[in-house]
Amino acid sequence: MDMLQNTDGLGASSGENSAHGASEVGSETGSSAGDFWQDLNSNVKSGKDKLQHNVLKSGDLSERRSPGVYQQYRYFLGRVGKQRLREARAQAVDYLILLLAGICLGTLAKVNDETFGVLGYTYTVIAVSLLCKIAALRSFSLDKLHYWRERSSGMSSLAYFLAKDTIDHFSTIVKPLVYLSMFYFFNNPRSTVLDNYTVLICLVYCVTGIAYALAIFFEPGPAQLWSVLLPVVLTLIATRTEKDGVVSYVSNLCYTKWALEAFVISNAKRYYGVWLITRCGSLMESGYDLGHWYRCLILLVLTGIVSRVAAFFILITVHRK
């Protein structure tokens, strides 16, 4: 009898322990799920608060009247203009590098009548894109901390961005002239200076907008790496002779393809008479069309506008420490 009672007691105690352990496991599972849900909910609310703080305009409790967007735009024009004057040595170095690039590329890449100078124009797209992107990174990568401090005090982000972009239009107009003055003299293509200058202006406007987005989103080091990598990779994709489905589709979306096509078309239009058959064969092999010159320019300008809109959106939403 005593042994039976001991056995029943051990069975009852083991059942209670197993039930207690199961309840502890269930409570731990429920608590971990609840903690995960609370963390997720708090992270979503925190992100929402940050987004509203960055995008929406908070009320000014000091009852002071902030200047309007136009007045701030005029102020930032003067301030950014003075900053560019203080950076005169860096600007001079940029122009000197463009001159040397025009001399070197114009000398090395001679015009081939069978390809309509596509080699020199390929080098031009890479060099101008790379140099203008790296120079445009300085517009937004150096004063991010100052921007966020002033924005928290009521500064207009739109006026700040437009003032920077307006001052950089001077470089958009002058840098193609500087490069083309050397490249056209040493390369001597058949296309006119005006056609080449028009394509270069559209190209510089496009790559400057892309550089804005890279400078705002990335730190200075990665932004420079992306500025060097993008022109080279996109140009290699745009100049591939093997056109399968994926590569052909991607190349049609590259700004380097549009710039190169505009350059080649502007040069091919100057070949007449016995060159008509060669011109048609070369353009057909490259997938270019004489009637796409204006379309390529419009696509370059639209890419510059879209990239500027994206850069402004990143400016007002992304806050990096």
Side-chain angles (χ1 to χ4, degrees), residues 51 54-56 140 147-148 151 157-158 161 209 212-213 216-217 305-319:
L51 184 62
N54 293 334
V55 178
L56 300 180
F140 290 95
Y147 163 74
W148 282 107
R151 189 184 186 282
S157 299
L158 181 61
F161 185 85
Y212 289 166
I216 296 171
F217 187 75
I305 296 174
V306 172
S307 59
R308 280 167 170 79
V309 173
F312 178 71
F313 179 77
I314 297 172
L315 180 68
I316 63 178
T317 55
V318 178
H319 186 183

Side-chain angles (χ1 to χ4, degrees), residues 239-281:
T239 55
R240 282 197 59 175
T241 57
E242 299 177 359
K243 298 293 184 180
D244 54 4
V246 178
V247 175
S248 178
Y249 179 76
V250 174
S251 64
N252 290 329
L253 300 178
C254 298
Y255 74 89
T256 53
K257 166 72 177 303
W258 307 328
L260 185 60
E261 183 176 0
F263 276 125
V264 174
I265 290 173
S266 63
N267 201 26
K269 289 189 299 184
R270 299 294 172 177
Y271 285 81
Y272 308 101
V274 296
W275 290 101
L276 289 178
I277 298 177
T278 304
R279 184 179 74 178
C280 294

Side-chain angles (χ1 to χ4, degrees), residues 39 49 79 111 121 136 149 162 187 192 214 249 252 266 319:
D39 293 339
D49 293 337
R79 191 175 77 172
V111 177
Y121 289 135
R149 286 177 178 176
L162 290 178
N187 191 260
T192 62
L214 294 176
Y249 179 76
N252 290 329
S266 63
H319 186 183

Side-chain angles (χ1 to χ4, degrees), residues 99 172-182 193 197 200-201:
L99 285 174
T172 304
I173 297 173
V174 175
K175 284 184 176 180
L177 280 175
V178 173
Y179 176 82
L180 197 61
S181 63
M182 293 292 102
V193 177
Y197 178 65
L200 279 177
I201 282 184

